[in-house]
Amino acid sequence: ALPESMRRIYGELLGNDRHFSGFLDYAEQKRGFFSNLIGRPIEKLIRDEFSGKICRNADVGAMASMTPVELAYALAIIRADDKYSITPPWVFRNYPKTEEVIHRLREIPCAEECPYCREHLNAKKQLKKIFGFDSFRTYDGEPLQENAAVAAIRGKSLLAVFPTGGGKSLTFQLPALVAGEASHGLTVVISPLQSLMKDQVDHLEEAGVADAVTINGLLSPVERADALERVTEGKASILYISPESLRSNTIERALVRRNVVRFVVDEAHCFSAWGQDFRVDYMYIGDFIRRYMELKNIRQPIPVSCFTATAKQKVVSDIRDYFRQKLGIELELFATRATRTNLHYAVLHVETNEKYAALRRLIAQKNCPTIVYVSRTRTAVTLAEKLVSDGYAARAYHGKMSSSEKVDNQEAFISNKVQIIVATSAFGMGVDKSDVGLVVHYEISDSLENYVQEAGRAGRDQKIDADCYVLFNDDDLNKHFMLLNQTKLSIGEIQQIWKAIKDLTKTRKNVTASALEIARQAGWDESVRDVETRVKTAIAALENAGYVERGKNVPRVYATGIMTPNMAAASDMIERSPRFDAQEKQDAKRVIKSLISARSRSEAGNEDGESRIDYLGDILGIGTERVENAVQRLREEGILADSTDMSAYIRRTETENRSKQILSKFSSLESYLASKLTGEVQELPLKEINDAAVRDGVSGATVRNIITVLYYWTIRSYVKKKTNEEDKQVWIFPSDSKQTIENRIARRAEIADFILSYLFEKSSGTKVNEREEALVPFSLLELMDNFKTRESLTNDRTGCTSDEVKDALLYLSKIGAMNL
Ligand code: ADP
Ligand code: MG
């Protein structure tokens, strides 16, 4: 069915390869595959057929003679207009040079700026198209942001040192999206904080980019599976993960299936023991990249970009040395030397009980937008309250607030509704307020780097004179020193871990053990703060010295899904069951008891690990195997569910199902939008549609909500969405008929509605937190069973599939009706 020219191209490229020639001969005999196709040479044929789709100056002739099969595969993927198509992993495996060929055809901007390169690889053009900005940022007059973005587009490895708020994310997102478009490539962004990853994905979503995904520990199993699927199926071109995730086999497998075009390391100062934020896990990044290249048989180093705001010389050289030694790559440096001349620093020695008075004096004196930094969440809240009760317009901000509260308070400060924000160091990321004239450190920062970043949020506007004060007394420092000393690891402790590992490996070379098990083996007190981190750090030191090698993490097995109402009932069932012998009965009871108490603790938010089988084995002192055995029997007996266990915060008051109100708003908006679909490619003028919806009385209509719905439609492949670069208009390409889309929406809405009613009922009597949310545990199986029961009362349908339930859950969490 191919057009003649493509037949000829494949014939020429593959005809001499014995893996393909048999088929081609057959096709020729059967159908006259090549008949009537004579004339132009292959190179010209390719250039004509792919004009505007590949760089005009790429050396197609050389590729056709040196790597014809790879070129054929490359052209096949380029020809697939579907952005989400990816080359099958086995092709990359057997013909590893395919990635390089695609790269040379589509990703290297030529000096002459041919039509393809001008259109697709021009940084400025893409800046406008993707982010809507007219120009790149400059530092001290130097166009460093553009230079770094262009270097990345050209495939260089680099280290960019820009100040906080300087626009580092955009500098790597832009080349990543360009590469996603050009070669369906994936950029892996390694970032130390889960909340930062989510923020960035959300930010991109607001900008209309549906190509970014994060996989991190905050995701529920359903969200995690969905994110993984989007990566492996090619629907993501940026993946945010933590350095620790690189030790996961699942992540490695997912990445191996994709063409990873670049690794980005955000907050790269974590590499350096000279920065305060040294993270052991960063040390594994280089090993991972090397292993990835080996697995995929790639010779050309995969480029790396590092980003940090820390300009300290030692930090910069540590980062560059690391990549030179591990991977033999040289990071080109893009660093600003810009200094801030309009900031004035002062340290005031103040006793603790006089701090508040001093703060009020400073505020009164300066009377301008002010950030007050404190070190603890609680202080942020109480200090803000105190200021308010004394007549100041102040709000608090800290990492443990709900994201809506964070946004509210940040917005109030940015828009000058309140003059003062009292915040922990969580505040400031991505905040770009130019008229802050005063930053007061009510409590001193824990490092000089953090201090400089926080104080640096004053006086963004060079024209204002800003003051930065530290209110300090000796006790403050003592607190920090104490914490610092606690985190220090001595040589003696490293030796204890070495001894423990030797004991564990007495009879074999490889051993799998949790950090806690190793700590216990070393005779450490496991209640010590950060014991896991300390063990991992010690192992990293041993690894560095060549004593051990730490491999991939072993999947964590969780024992979850308690099906009995309480301990007494569980105990009863265990006693009566013939599945357990006396010893096993005892084990099973202890396991279920600790699971039940972990569940009641989970409201406090520290459930992590408590249901992990290795931990249970450790805590109960009976070893992993016996726990596994007990869990298996508990599952067989139906005391533990053999299914995914989850919980959700649903929004409710005493009487009202707030979650349902949100759903019903979105449902009517979604039906309204669906009714506007023509079934063909169409323009969707957001603002006009929104105005019309408001006129028609659709209660949930806002531009923001419309974008949310479109985002969901895009990631679920109902439609494809493109934004026109000139007028920013949104175009919709439906993947299914209008009727099919409407059916999917209606079906999902029905199930979502059921879920919320069910969970609401289930949550009655549960304590509602200050954000009016109640935590409800449930499982997929439970939802499916109850849906079926409810349905059988009204009609004769046969329930729903787990995919349908998952879809509804993801939707509910996307629109903010619940928090999975
Ligand atoms: P950081 O360097 O601290 O990581 P971010 O990447 O979070 O900073 O960027 C801070 C803000 O600057 C973001 O809101 C981003 O949209 C904005 N920004 C970045 N580059 C530009 C640009 N060229 N023009 C306008 N705004 C920009
Ligand atoms: Mg950043």
Side-chain angles (χ1 to χ4, degrees), residues 168-169 172 196 200 266-267 429:
K168 290 185 281 295
S169 323
F172 60 75
L196 280 187
Q200 297 210 3
D266 203 4
E267 314 293 346
M429 214 59 79

Side-chain angles (χ1 to χ4, degrees), residues 133 135-137 145 163-170 430:
F133 295 138
S135 60
F136 282 101
R137 288 237 170 100
Q145 195 182 36
T164 302
K168 290 185 281 295
S169 323
L170 182 148

